[in-house]
Amino acid sequence: MVDFMKGVDRMIEWNYNLIPAMSCIEVCDIRAYRGTPGPTYDQVLMEAWLNVVHGVKGICWFHYFEYNTIQYQAMADFCDQITRLAKIVLGPDPGREVTDNANEPGRRVDLMVRETDSLIYVFAVRLTEVDEVDSPAVEVTFKVAGITNEQVEVFDEQRTLVVNNGEFKDSFAPNDVHIYLITKTTAELKPPLIQRYTKPEIDIYPNPIKIK
């Protein structure tokens, strides 16, 4: 997965992000006689979201040739989530600094940040190699610039986390994907733009009339 993501990053970088990048995700065993089982449900979700976090704009499925091993539920669940979050994912990088303390092999969580006027979205994926699927869960600390003691909602997981001094923690099992929604404080919310009306100057020639 590390090499795969390096390839994705280079593909985007080398075309100066001018052409939308797409990835094709294997969702089943390709040839049973090879003795290399196809991906699990968790691996399909991890790989799909990892590509999104690294900037791809489209996912297609490679669902050949062992059709009875296709991870249909993972495909459906990803499509459901990405459809609901598409406008957020396709938005610009807000430039807000978000960091985590999981950046070593076997303990790596990759991030993407998006924002609306009222919410900060943090997409976090534990990059997991095939030989790491039995690794223990890791506790990861996130630090988000510009927030203090807000509450974090974990998307589609019916749970919340607490932010203390701009930091919050969560546990990541192998292949885990967590999407965090952080409500901005009142101070951060941008008021609607109201343009002040100014009376125009009107010159009518040749009559010497001027309205100010």
Side-chain angles (χ1 to χ4, degrees), residues 182-206:
I182 306 169
T183 302
K184 294 181 179 179
T185 61
T186 304
E188 278 197 295
L189 296 178
K190 298 178 181 178
L193 180 63
I194 301 177
Q195 295 183 342
R196 184 182 297 277
Y197 174 77
T198 55
K199 186 184 295 183
E201 290 189 358
I202 304 175
D203 289 304
I204 303 176
Y205 182 83

Side-chain angles (χ1 to χ4, degrees), residues 37-52:
T40 64
Y41 171 93
D42 291 336
Q43 288 172 325
V44 169
L45 282 182
M46 180 272 294
E47 191 171 344
W49 275 113
L50 193 60
N51 274 272
V52 172

Side-chain angles (χ1 to χ4, degrees), residues 120-137:
I120 303 166
Y121 291 77
V122 180
F123 297 79
V125 184
R126 182 174 175 182
L127 187 154
T128 308
E129 303 288 1
V130 173
D131 59 357
E132 296 171 350
V133 294
D134 295 323
S135 300

Side-chain angles (χ1 to χ4, degrees), residues 32-173:
Y33 66 81
R34 293 179 179 176
T36 53
T40 64
Y41 171 93
D42 291 336
Q43 288 172 325
V44 169
L45 282 182
M46 180 272 294
E47 191 171 344
W49 275 113
L50 193 60
N51 274 272
V52 172
V53 164
H54 279 258
V56 304
K57 297 300 188 287
I59 297 289
C60 59
W61 307 120
F62 189 88
H63 55 283
Y64 310 98
F65 295 93
E66 301 293 339
Y67 301 105
N68 62 334
T69 66
I70 296 175
Q71 293 291 346
Y72 289 108
Q73 192 60 55
M75 297 158 65
D77 289 348
F78 173 76
C79 288
D80 171 64
Q81 289 188 324
I82 198 65
T83 299
R84 287 183 284 143
L85 293 168
K87 290 184 179 180
I88 304 302
V89 168
L90 295 174
D93 182 346
R96 184 184 297 267
E97 183 180 13
V98 179
T99 58
D100 66 61
N101 64 344
N103 300 289
E104 306 85 27
R107 189 181 184 278
R108 172 175 161 176
V109 173
D110 291 2
L111 305 178
M112 180 180 74
V113 183
R114 293 291 184 265
E115 288 190 31
T116 65
D117 287 343
S118 59
L119 290 170
I120 303 166
Y121 291 77
V122 180
F123 297 79
V125 184
R126 182 174 175 182
L127 187 154
T128 308
E129 303 288 1
V130 173
D131 59 357
E132 296 171 350
V133 294
D134 295 323
S135 300
V138 296
E139 184 179 73
V140 180
T141 300
F142 298 90
K143 186 171 182 61
V144 183
I147 68 171
T148 52
N149 300 313
E150 288 77 3
Q151 191 174 68
V152 179
E153 176 188 349
V154 189
F155 182 75
D156 275 358
E157 296 188 36
Q158 293 76 51
R159 62 189 181 97
T160 57
L161 305 170
V162 177
V163 178
N164 290 312
N165 297 319
E167 295 185 355
F168 66 93
K169 298 181 179 181
D170 202 4
S171 178
F172 282 75

